[in-house]
């Protein structure tokens, strides 16, 4: 393998990981709300989601290096949509905005975990196979 083709493979792999990080980042953005729901006075820092999305990409690349970008997009969008729906309709944004509580922290954490599970379930290969067979997508 020539050095030019190895360099091209390396750049392609890096771009794949970078785009996957951008697509998975919305799935971990609710962590900032979870941290805000803590009743202890913390300085708001928005690096929590970036670190967790980096770990998420590392886990995805370790277990399934061929993970396509569409599945990352599905996880990000489904998690964000589910979390936003649960969070807004629960009315917890008033409690979090007022300084948070342990009950709000537990509820918001549970909302995020459920939302992430929904996103991952929708991006699971078995779900994709069922979708393809049901709608006849080739």
């Amino acid at each position: 393998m020539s050095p030019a083709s190895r360099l091209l493979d390396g750049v392609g792999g890096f771009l794949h990981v970078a785009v996957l990080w951008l697509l998975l980042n919305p799935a971990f953005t609710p962590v900032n709300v979870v941290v805000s729901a803590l009743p202890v006075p913390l300085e708001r820092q928005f690096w929590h989601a970036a670190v967790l999305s980096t770990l998420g990409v590392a886990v995805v690349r370790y277990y399934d290096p061929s993970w396509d970008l569409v599945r990352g997009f599905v996880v990000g969008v489904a998690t964000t949509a589910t979390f936003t729906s649960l969070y807004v309709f629960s009315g917890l944004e008033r409690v979090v905005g007022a300084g948070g509580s342990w009950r709000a922290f537990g509820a918001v954490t549970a909302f995020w975990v459920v939302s992430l599970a929904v996103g991952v379930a929708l991006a699971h290969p078995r779900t994709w196979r069922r979708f393809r067979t049901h709608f006849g997508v080739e």
Side-chain angles (χ1 to χ4, degrees):
M1 182 177 254
S2 71
S5 63
R6 275 194 279 175
L7 178 67
L8 189 60
D9 284 344
V11 169
F14 174 77
L15 288 176
H16 186 266
V17 168
V19 172
L20 186 60
W21 182 84
L22 286 172
L23 294 173
L24 283 178
N25 197 29
F28 295 99
T29 301
V31 170
N32 295 326
V33 177
V34 170
V35 171
S36 297
L38 283 169
V40 295
L42 288 175
E43 185 179 325
R44 288 193 173 206
Q45 297 175 346
F46 295 101
W47 57 267
H48 301 98
V51 169
L52 281 178
S53 61
T54 302
L55 291 173
V57 169
V59 167
V60 165
R61 294 291 292 175
Y62 178 76
Y63 285 111
D64 189 5
S66 66
W67 227 54
D68 59 353
L69 299 176
V70 173
R71 288 168 58 188
F73 177 74
V74 168
V75 170
V77 169
T79 302
T80 301
T82 306
F83 177 80
T84 303
S85 301
L86 292 172
Y87 181 65
V88 168
F89 290 126
S90 71
L92 285 175
E93 73 257 13
R94 290 185 298 263
V95 176
V96 172
S101 69
W102 288 109
R103 184 174 177 224
F105 172 72
V108 172
T109 303
F111 290 163
W112 177 63
V113 169
V114 166
S115 301
L116 190 61
V118 167
V120 170
L122 288 175
H124 194 270
R126 189 176 312 142
T127 307
W128 283 103
R129 281 193 295 273
R130 288 180 184 162
F131 177 79
R132 283 190 208 122
T133 57
H134 181 69
F135 289 106
V137 178
E138 292 291 325

mmCIF file with all atom_site columns, all heavy atoms in Angstrom, residues 86-103:
data_model
loop_
_atom_site.group_PDB
_atom_site.id
_atom_site.type_symbol
_atom_site.label_atom_id
_atom_site.label_alt_id
_atom_site.label_comp_id
_atom_site.label_asym_id
_atom_site.label_entity_id
_atom_site.label_seq_id
_atom_site.pdbx_PDB_ins_code
_atom_site.Cartn_x
_atom_site.Cartn_y
_atom_site.Cartn_z
_atom_site.occupancy
_atom_site.B_iso_or_equiv
_atom_site.pdbx_formal_charge
_atom_site.auth_seq_id
_atom_site.auth_comp_id
_atom_site.auth_asym_id
_atom_site.auth_atom_id
_atom_site.pdbx_PDB_model_num
ATOM 1   N N   . LEU A 1 86  ? -40.256 14.843 26.521 1.00 0.00 ? 86  LEU A N   1
ATOM 2   C CA  . LEU A 1 86  ? -40.450 14.461 27.918 1.00 0.00 ? 86  LEU A CA  1
ATOM 3   C C   . LEU A 1 86  ? -40.173 15.626 28.870 1.00 0.00 ? 86  LEU A C   1
ATOM 4   O O   . LEU A 1 86  ? -40.919 15.855 29.824 1.00 0.00 ? 86  LEU A O   1
ATOM 5   C CB  . LEU A 1 86  ? -39.547 13.277 28.267 1.00 0.00 ? 86  LEU A CB  1
ATOM 6   C CG  . LEU A 1 86  ? -39.878 11.950 27.602 1.00 0.00 ? 86  LEU A CG  1
ATOM 7   C CD1 . LEU A 1 86  ? -38.770 10.935 27.896 1.00 0.00 ? 86  LEU A CD1 1
ATOM 8   C CD2 . LEU A 1 86  ? -41.217 11.431 28.073 1.00 0.00 ? 86  LEU A CD2 1
ATOM 9   N N   . TYR A 1 87  ? -39.118 16.360 28.600 1.00 0.00 ? 87  TYR A N   1
ATOM 10  C CA  . TYR A 1 87  ? -38.701 17.455 29.479 1.00 0.00 ? 87  TYR A CA  1
ATOM 11  C C   . TYR A 1 87  ? -39.708 18.605 29.464 1.00 0.00 ? 87  TYR A C   1
ATOM 12  O O   . TYR A 1 87  ? -40.096 19.122 30.504 1.00 0.00 ? 87  TYR A O   1
ATOM 13  C CB  . TYR A 1 87  ? -37.314 17.928 29.055 1.00 0.00 ? 87  TYR A CB  1
ATOM 14  C CG  . TYR A 1 87  ? -36.738 19.052 29.880 1.00 0.00 ? 87  TYR A CG  1
ATOM 15  C CD1 . TYR A 1 87  ? -36.423 18.872 31.214 1.00 0.00 ? 87  TYR A CD1 1
ATOM 16  C CD2 . TYR A 1 87  ? -36.482 20.286 29.305 1.00 0.00 ? 87  TYR A CD2 1
ATOM 17  C CE1 . TYR A 1 87  ? -35.881 19.893 31.963 1.00 0.00 ? 87  TYR A CE1 1
ATOM 18  C CE2 . TYR A 1 87  ? -35.938 21.312 30.042 1.00 0.00 ? 87  TYR A CE2 1
ATOM 19  C CZ  . TYR A 1 87  ? -35.637 21.115 31.371 1.00 0.00 ? 87  TYR A CZ  1
ATOM 20  O OH  . TYR A 1 87  ? -35.093 22.138 32.111 1.00 0.00 ? 87  TYR A OH  1
ATOM 21  N N   . VAL A 1 88  ? -40.155 18.983 28.290 1.00 0.00 ? 88  VAL A N   1
ATOM 22  C CA  . VAL A 1 88  ? -41.081 20.116 28.185 1.00 0.00 ? 88  VAL A CA  1
ATOM 23  C C   . VAL A 1 88  ? -42.452 19.756 28.743 1.00 0.00 ? 88  VAL A C   1
ATOM 24  O O   . VAL A 1 88  ? -43.044 20.531 29.503 1.00 0.00 ? 88  VAL A O   1
ATOM 25  C CB  . VAL A 1 88  ? -41.176 20.594 26.719 1.00 0.00 ? 88  VAL A CB  1
ATOM 26  C CG1 . VAL A 1 88  ? -42.321 21.560 26.526 1.00 0.00 ? 88  VAL A CG1 1
ATOM 27  C CG2 . VAL A 1 88  ? -39.869 21.235 26.293 1.00 0.00 ? 88  VAL A CG2 1
ATOM 28  N N   . PHE A 1 89  ? -42.951 18.585 28.392 1.00 0.00 ? 89  PHE A N   1
ATOM 29  C CA  . PHE A 1 89  ? -44.293 18.221 28.847 1.00 0.00 ? 89  PHE A CA  1
ATOM 30  C C   . PHE A 1 89  ? -44.347 17.864 30.330 1.00 0.00 ? 89  PHE A C   1
ATOM 31  O O   . PHE A 1 89  ? -45.417 17.844 30.918 1.00 0.00 ? 89  PHE A O   1
ATOM 32  C CB  . PHE A 1 89  ? -44.869 17.096 27.988 1.00 0.00 ? 89  PHE A CB  1
ATOM 33  C CG  . PHE A 1 89  ? -45.203 17.536 26.598 1.00 0.00 ? 89  PHE A CG  1
ATOM 34  C CD1 . PHE A 1 89  ? -44.693 16.860 25.514 1.00 0.00 ? 89  PHE A CD1 1
ATOM 35  C CD2 . PHE A 1 89  ? -46.011 18.645 26.368 1.00 0.00 ? 89  PHE A CD2 1
ATOM 36  C CE1 . PHE A 1 89  ? -44.987 17.270 24.223 1.00 0.00 ? 89  PHE A CE1 1
ATOM 37  C CE2 . PHE A 1 89  ? -46.310 19.059 25.087 1.00 0.00 ? 89  PHE A CE2 1
ATOM 38  C CZ  . PHE A 1 89  ? -45.808 18.371 24.017 1.00 0.00 ? 89  PHE A CZ  1
ATOM 39  N N   . SER A 1 90  ? -43.209 17.589 30.942 1.00 0.00 ? 90  SER A N   1
ATOM 40  C CA  . SER A 1 90  ? -43.197 17.294 32.377 1.00 0.00 ? 90  SER A CA  1
ATOM 41  C C   . SER A 1 90  ? -43.267 18.565 33.210 1.00 0.00 ? 90  SER A C   1
ATOM 42  O O   . SER A 1 90  ? -43.607 18.509 34.394 1.00 0.00 ? 90  SER A O   1
ATOM 43  C CB  . SER A 1 90  ? -41.943 16.511 32.745 1.00 0.00 ? 90  SER A CB  1
ATOM 44  O OG  . SER A 1 90  ? -40.805 17.353 32.662 1.00 0.00 ? 90  SER A OG  1
ATOM 45  N N   . GLY A 1 91  ? -42.899 19.681 32.633 1.00 0.00 ? 91  GLY A N   1
ATOM 46  C CA  . GLY A 1 91  ? -42.902 20.944 33.363 1.00 0.00 ? 91  GLY A CA  1
ATOM 47  C C   . GLY A 1 91  ? -41.684 21.146 34.244 1.00 0.00 ? 91  GLY A C   1
ATOM 48  O O   . GLY A 1 91  ? -41.649 22.066 35.065 1.00 0.00 ? 91  GLY A O   1
ATOM 49  N N   . LEU A 1 92  ? -40.676 20.316 34.076 1.00 0.00 ? 92  LEU A N   1
ATOM 50  C CA  . LEU A 1 92  ? -39.489 20.415 34.924 1.00 0.00 ? 92  LEU A CA  1
ATOM 51  C C   . LEU A 1 92  ? -38.579 21.585 34.569 1.00 0.00 ? 92  LEU A C   1
ATOM 52  O O   . LEU A 1 92  ? -37.689 21.910 35.344 1.00 0.00 ? 92  LEU A O   1
ATOM 53  C CB  . LEU A 1 92  ? -38.686 19.115 34.867 1.00 0.00 ? 92  LEU A CB  1
ATOM 54  C CG  . LEU A 1 92  ? -39.277 17.949 35.633 1.00 0.00 ? 92  LEU A CG  1
ATOM 55  C CD1 . LEU A 1 92  ? -38.449 16.689 35.399 1.00 0.00 ? 92  LEU A CD1 1
ATOM 56  C CD2 . LEU A 1 92  ? -39.349 18.256 37.112 1.00 0.00 ? 92  LEU A CD2 1
ATOM 57  N N   . GLU A 1 93  ? -38.808 22.224 33.438 1.00 0.00 ? 93  GLU A N   1
ATOM 58  C CA  . GLU A 1 93  ? -37.913 23.332 33.090 1.00 0.00 ? 93  GLU A CA  1
ATOM 59  C C   . GLU A 1 93  ? -38.048 24.486 34.072 1.00 0.00 ? 93  GLU A C   1
ATOM 60  O O   . GLU A 1 93  ? -37.100 25.231 34.299 1.00 0.00 ? 93  GLU A O   1
ATOM 61  C CB  . GLU A 1 93  ? -38.118 23.804 31.649 1.00 0.00 ? 93  GLU A CB  1
ATOM 62  C CG  . GLU A 1 93  ? -39.379 24.583 31.422 1.00 0.00 ? 93  GLU A CG  1
ATOM 63  C CD  . GLU A 1 93  ? -40.458 23.771 30.752 1.00 0.00 ? 93  GLU A CD  1
ATOM 64  O OE1 . GLU A 1 93  ? -40.350 22.549 30.674 1.00 0.00 ? 93  GLU A OE1 1
ATOM 65  O OE2 . GLU A 1 93  ? -41.418 24.387 30.307 1.00 0.00 ? 93  GLU A OE2 1
ATOM 66  N N   . ARG A 1 94  ? -39.219 24.617 34.692 1.00 0.00 ? 94  ARG A N   1
ATOM 67  C CA  . ARG A 1 94  ? -39.381 25.662 35.722 1.00 0.00 ? 94  ARG A CA  1
ATOM 68  C C   . ARG A 1 94  ? -38.564 25.329 36.969 1.00 0.00 ? 94  ARG A C   1
ATOM 69  O O   . ARG A 1 94  ? -37.938 26.202 37.558 1.00 0.00 ? 94  ARG A O   1
ATOM 70  C CB  . ARG A 1 94  ? -40.858 25.817 36.069 1.00 0.00 ? 94  ARG A CB  1
ATOM 71  C CG  . ARG A 1 94  ? -41.683 26.440 34.958 1.00 0.00 ? 94  ARG A CG  1
ATOM 72  C CD  . ARG A 1 94  ? -43.109 26.657 35.430 1.00 0.00 ? 94  ARG A CD  1
ATOM 73  N NE  . ARG A 1 94  ? -43.735 25.370 35.768 1.00 0.00 ? 94  ARG A NE  1
ATOM 74  C CZ  . ARG A 1 94  ? -44.521 24.676 34.959 1.00 0.00 ? 94  ARG A CZ  1
ATOM 75  N NH1 . ARG A 1 94  ? -44.775 25.142 33.756 1.00 0.00 ? 94  ARG A NH1 1
ATOM 76  N NH2 . ARG A 1 94  ? -45.057 23.538 35.345 1.00 0.00 ? 94  ARG A NH2 1
ATOM 77  N N   . VAL A 1 95  ? -38.561 24.061 37.352 1.00 0.00 ? 95  VAL A N   1
ATOM 78  C CA  . VAL A 1 95  ? -37.803 23.640 38.538 1.00 0.00 ? 95  VAL A CA  1
ATOM 79  C C   . VAL A 1 95  ? -36.302 23.759 38.279 1.00 0.00 ? 95  VAL A C   1
ATOM 80  O O   . VAL A 1 95  ? -35.554 24.249 39.122 1.00 0.00 ? 95  VAL A O   1
ATOM 81  C CB  . VAL A 1 95  ? -38.171 22.184 38.927 1.00 0.00 ? 95  VAL A CB  1
ATOM 82  C CG1 . VAL A 1 95  ? -37.322 21.708 40.089 1.00 0.00 ? 95  VAL A CG1 1
ATOM 83  C CG2 . VAL A 1 95  ? -39.647 22.077 39.245 1.00 0.00 ? 95  VAL A CG2 1
ATOM 84  N N   . VAL A 1 96  ? -35.869 23.328 37.107 1.00 0.00 ? 96  VAL A N   1
ATOM 85  C CA  . VAL A 1 96  ? -34.447 23.408 36.756 1.00 0.00 ? 96  VAL A CA  1
ATOM 86  C C   . VAL A 1 96  ? -34.016 24.868 36.661 1.00 0.00 ? 96  VAL A C   1
ATOM 87  O O   . VAL A 1 96  ? -32.940 25.248 37.126 1.00 0.00 ? 96  VAL A O   1
ATOM 88  C CB  . VAL A 1 96  ? -34.164 22.640 35.451 1.00 0.00 ? 96  VAL A CB  1
ATOM 89  C CG1 . VAL A 1 96  ? -32.750 22.877 34.975 1.00 0.00 ? 96  VAL A CG1 1
ATOM 90  C CG2 . VAL A 1 96  ? -34.423 21.151 35.638 1.00 0.00 ? 96  VAL A CG2 1
ATOM 91  N N   . GLY A 1 97  ? -34.855 25.698 36.081 1.00 0.00 ? 97  GLY A N   1
ATOM 92  C CA  . GLY A 1 97  ? -34.544 27.120 35.962 1.00 0.00 ? 97  GLY A CA  1
ATOM 93  C C   . GLY A 1 97  ? -34.470 27.822 37.309 1.00 0.00 ? 97  GLY A C   1
ATOM 94  O O   . GLY A 1 97  ? -33.768 28.814 37.465 1.00 0.00 ? 97  GLY A O   1
ATOM 95  N N   . ALA A 1 98  ? -35.199 27.310 38.284 1.00 0.00 ? 98  ALA A N   1
ATOM 96  C CA  . ALA A 1 98  ? -35.212 27.913 39.616 1.00 0.00 ? 98  ALA A CA  1
ATOM 97  C C   . ALA A 1 98  ? -34.088 27.404 40.507 1.00 0.00 ? 98  ALA A C   1
ATOM 98  O O   . ALA A 1 98  ? -34.022 27.757 41.673 1.00 0.00 ? 98  ALA A O   1
ATOM 99  C CB  . ALA A 1 98  ? -36.555 27.656 40.288 1.00 0.00 ? 98  ALA A CB  1
ATOM 100 N N   . GLY A 1 99  ? -33.223 26.576 40.005 1.00 0.00 ? 99  GLY A N   1
ATOM 101 C CA  . GLY A 1 99  ? -32.091 26.108 40.797 1.00 0.00 ? 99  GLY A CA  1
ATOM 102 C C   . GLY A 1 99  ? -31.999 24.605 40.922 1.00 0.00 ? 99  GLY A C   1
ATOM 103 O O   . GLY A 1 99  ? -31.022 24.084 41.420 1.00 0.00 ? 99  GLY A O   1
ATOM 104 N N   . GLY A 1 100 ? -33.027 23.907 40.493 1.00 0.00 ? 100 GLY A N   1
ATOM 105 C CA  . GLY A 1 100 ? -32.987 22.453 40.494 1.00 0.00 ? 100 GLY A CA  1
ATOM 106 C C   . GLY A 1 100 ? -33.347 21.841 41.834 1.00 0.00 ? 100 GLY A C   1
ATOM 107 O O   . GLY A 1 100 ? -33.505 22.524 42.841 1.00 0.00 ? 100 GLY A O   1
ATOM 108 N N   . SER A 1 101 ? -33.491 20.530 41.819 1.00 0.00 ? 101 SER A N   1
ATOM 109 C CA  . SER A 1 101 ? -33.752 19.753 43.026 1.00 0.00 ? 101 SER A CA  1
ATOM 110 C C   . SER A 1 101 ? -33.292 18.332 42.754 1.00 0.00 ? 101 SER A C   1
ATOM 111 O O   . SER A 1 101 ? -33.035 17.948 41.610 1.00 0.00 ? 101 SER A O   1
ATOM 112 C CB  . SER A 1 101 ? -35.243 19.777 43.384 1.00 0.00 ? 101 SER A CB  1
ATOM 113 O OG  . SER A 1 101 ? -35.986 19.043 42.436 1.00 0.00 ? 101 SER A OG  1
ATOM 114 N N   . TRP A 1 102 ? -33.187 17.536 43.814 1.00 0.00 ? 102 TRP A N   1
ATOM 115 C CA  . TRP A 1 102 ? -32.749 16.151 43.615 1.00 0.00 ? 102 TRP A CA  1
ATOM 116 C C   . TRP A 1 102 ? -33.801 15.360 42.856 1.00 0.00 ? 102 TRP A C   1
ATOM 117 O O   . TRP A 1 102 ? -33.479 14.491 42.060 1.00 0.00 ? 102 TRP A O   1
ATOM 118 C CB  . TRP A 1 102 ? -32.440 15.492 44.955 1.00 0.00 ? 102 TRP A CB  1
ATOM 119 C CG  . TRP A 1 102 ? -31.180 16.024 45.556 1.00 0.00 ? 102 TRP A CG  1
ATOM 120 C CD1 . TRP A 1 102 ? -31.061 16.831 46.638 1.00 0.00 ? 102 TRP A CD1 1
ATOM 121 C CD2 . TRP A 1 102 ? -29.850 15.820 45.060 1.00 0.00 ? 102 TRP A CD2 1
ATOM 122 N NE1 . TRP A 1 102 ? -29.740 17.137 46.855 1.00 0.00 ? 102 TRP A NE1 1
ATOM 123 C CE2 . TRP A 1 102 ? -28.977 16.520 45.901 1.00 0.00 ? 102 TRP A CE2 1
ATOM 124 C CE3 . TRP A 1 102 ? -29.317 15.120 43.988 1.00 0.00 ? 102 TRP A CE3 1
ATOM 125 C CZ2 . TRP A 1 102 ? -27.604 16.541 45.714 1.00 0.00 ? 102 TRP A CZ2 1
ATOM 126 C CZ3 . TRP A 1 102 ? -27.940 15.122 43.794 1.00 0.00 ? 102 TRP A CZ3 1
ATOM 127 C CH2 . TRP A 1 102 ? -27.105 15.824 44.657 1.00 0.00 ? 102 TRP A CH2 1
ATOM 128 N N   . ARG A 1 103 ? -35.066 15.657 43.106 1.00 0.00 ? 103 ARG A N   1
ATOM 129 C CA  . ARG A 1 103 ? -36.136 14.975 42.376 1.00 0.00 ? 103 ARG A CA  1
ATOM 130 C C   . ARG A 1 103 ? -36.080 15.330 40.893 1.00 0.00 ? 103 ARG A C   1
ATOM 131 O O   . ARG A 1 103 ? -36.221 14.456 40.033 1.00 0.00 ? 103 ARG A O   1
ATOM 132 C CB  . ARG A 1 103 ? -37.476 15.370 42.977 1.00 0.00 ? 103 ARG A CB  1
ATOM 133 C CG  . ARG A 1 103 ? -38.629 14.659 42.354 1.00 0.00 ? 103 ARG A CG  1
ATOM 134 C CD  . ARG A 1 103 ? -39.915 14.985 43.098 1.00 0.00 ? 103 ARG A CD  1
ATOM 135 N NE  . ARG A 1 103 ? -41.013 14.336 42.428 1.00 0.00 ? 103 ARG A NE  1
ATOM 136 C CZ  . ARG A 1 103 ? -42.158 14.900 42.177 1.00 0.00 ? 103 ARG A CZ  1
ATOM 137 N NH1 . ARG A 1 103 ? -42.380 16.139 42.575 1.00 0.00 ? 103 ARG A NH1 1
ATOM 138 N NH2 . ARG A 1 103 ? -43.097 14.248 41.552 1.00 0.00 ? 103 ARG A NH2 1
#
